[in-house]
Amino acid sequence: MNMLGYAGKAGQFEVKDMAKWLPSLTPYYQALGVQGEQAVAEIGASLQIARKGAGTSDEAANNMRNFLTKLTSPDTLKDFDKAGIDLKASMKSLVADGMTPMQAMMTNIENYIGKKSPQAAAEFTKAMSIKDDKERQMAVSRLAETYKLGELFQDQQAMSFIRPMLGNKDEFNRIKQGSQNAANNNGIGTDYAKRMGSAQEQMKSFKIHVTDMAVTIGNALLPAVNQTLVAVKPMITAFGNWAKQNPQLVASIVKIVGLSLIHI
């Protein structure tokens, strides 16, 4: 969860959506032989990048799932074979070199683009260097059409995953590495502590304690307490208005009272 928490802060695909989709995507990774923290880091980073090419988080996750189903499907193997690529052999070799199956597939796609035309690799590198997200995505999409990536993946949802992955390779690697580093950092615990330390959460806690006190006092004393609260309310309101107008004076009074209590 700390890893997903890190990935969820890296873009529009939020943590709650990652937690929702993780159980649906991990079986595909397990089938490909990728498990544990490596699988979680890659899923989190991939979902974040996929969101760049989708209108919603669910759409992005569906695009990724379709891509995973096509990795080793008979249709994909045939289409790669028509393009002159022995996908099984290539994937096996790249995985043996330390890549995950998904990284191996993206490498095959990049190599395919490079072999399509002498200038393809240069154009792809140029597109990747564009800083603006939308412009970079448009440039990569044009390359995908120009070099007919649809010949390799006839599924449009899979293509909707591939395009942002091609255009954001460096960001994918950065998020994945950051997610792996966050595994033991207790980021969620740190965020929780920050949230609970806010004035809003402290006020909630105060209200809860007041409610608990009222229950403890019992119904017999509540009428008297309520009467007192009604009587005191105008004074509290007036003090609050005065405090807003004199923040520095209020701070000084609080410090003086605090020091007095310490000496006592």
Side-chain angles (χ1 to χ4, degrees):
M1 291 304 298
N2 285 324
M3 296 172 74
L4 294 180
Y6 174 89
K9 294 179 182 178
Q12 292 180 292
F13 206 107
E14 298 180 0
V15 179
K16 61 182 178 65
D17 295 314
M18 291 197 177
K20 170 185 174 182
W21 280 96
L22 191 68
S24 300
L25 297 172
T26 48
Y28 293 101
Y29 271 77
Q30 187 173 14
L32 294 168
V34 185
Q35 300 182 47
E37 292 182 0
Q38 185 179 33
V40 174
E42 186 163 289
I43 290 172
S46 299
L47 288 172
Q48 201 59 267
I49 299 303
R51 182 64 176 82
K52 292 178 178 291
T56 66
S57 294
D58 285 346
E59 181 185 342
N62 271 313
N63 291 342
M64 180 178 176
R65 182 166 59 183
N66 270 46
F67 171 77
L68 292 173
T69 62
K70 299 297 180 181
L71 275 182
T72 55
S73 71
D75 289 340
T76 301
L77 295 175
K78 289 179 183 178
D79 290 336
F80 270 79
D81 187 58
K82 290 177 183 177
I85 301 171
D86 186 341
L87 186 59
K88 270 191 174 181
S90 177
M91 292 276 285
K92 185 176 181 180
S93 174
L94 291 171
V95 169
D97 288 340
M99 291 188 184
T100 65
M102 192 187 77
Q103 289 175 314
M105 175 58 82
M106 297 307 301
T107 298
N108 272 302
I109 294 171
E110 291 174 21
N111 291 340
Y112 170 80
I113 293 174
K115 291 178 181 177
K116 267 287 185 178
S117 169
Q119 71 270 20
E123 290 179 8
F124 181 74
T125 302
K126 184 179 178 180
M128 289 279 289
S129 66
I130 297 174
K131 293 183 178 180
D132 184 81
D133 284 348
K134 290 185 178 179
E135 290 184 17
R136 184 171 62 250
Q137 293 292 3
M138 289 175 62
V140 172
S141 295
R142 286 195 295 270
L143 281 174
E145 293 175 6
T146 301
Y147 298 108
K148 300 179 180 180
L149 284 185
E151 293 180 356
L152 300 181
F153 286 90
Q154 299 177 29
D155 185 285
Q156 289 303 310
Q157 286 183 304
M159 284 299 300
S160 293
F161 173 78
I162 291 169
R163 284 191 289 267
M165 287 294 291
L166 286 172
N168 298 276
K169 182 178 178 180
D170 290 343
E171 186 172 359
F172 164 80
N173 289 329
R174 178 184 63 78
I175 296 173
K176 181 179 178 181
Q177 185 59 55
S179 181
Q180 288 175 318
N181 294 341
N184 299 312
N185 289 344
N186 193 26
I188 290 179
T190 302
D191 290 345
Y192 177 77
K194 287 181 180 178
R195 177 65 63 86
M196 293 306 296
S198 68
Q200 183 179 6
E201 292 300 329
Q202 289 298 315
M203 182 56 69
K204 286 181 182 178
S205 177
F206 174 74
K207 290 178 179 178
I208 291 171
H209 281 86
V210 169
T211 301
D212 289 344
M213 181 183 70
V215 172
T216 302
I217 291 174
N219 292 330
L221 295 179
L222 280 180
V225 172
N226 288 336
Q227 289 177 2
T228 302
L229 291 176
V230 170
V232 172
K233 183 178 178 181
M235 297 171 58
I236 294 175
T237 302
F239 178 78
N241 293 332
W242 176 82
K244 289 180 181 178
Q245 297 172 3
N246 302 275
Q248 292 181 345
L249 182 56
V250 172
S252 298
I253 293 172
V254 170
K255 290 179 181 178
I256 293 170
V257 172
L259 289 172
S260 299
L261 291 173
I262 292 173
H263 290 306
I264 291 173

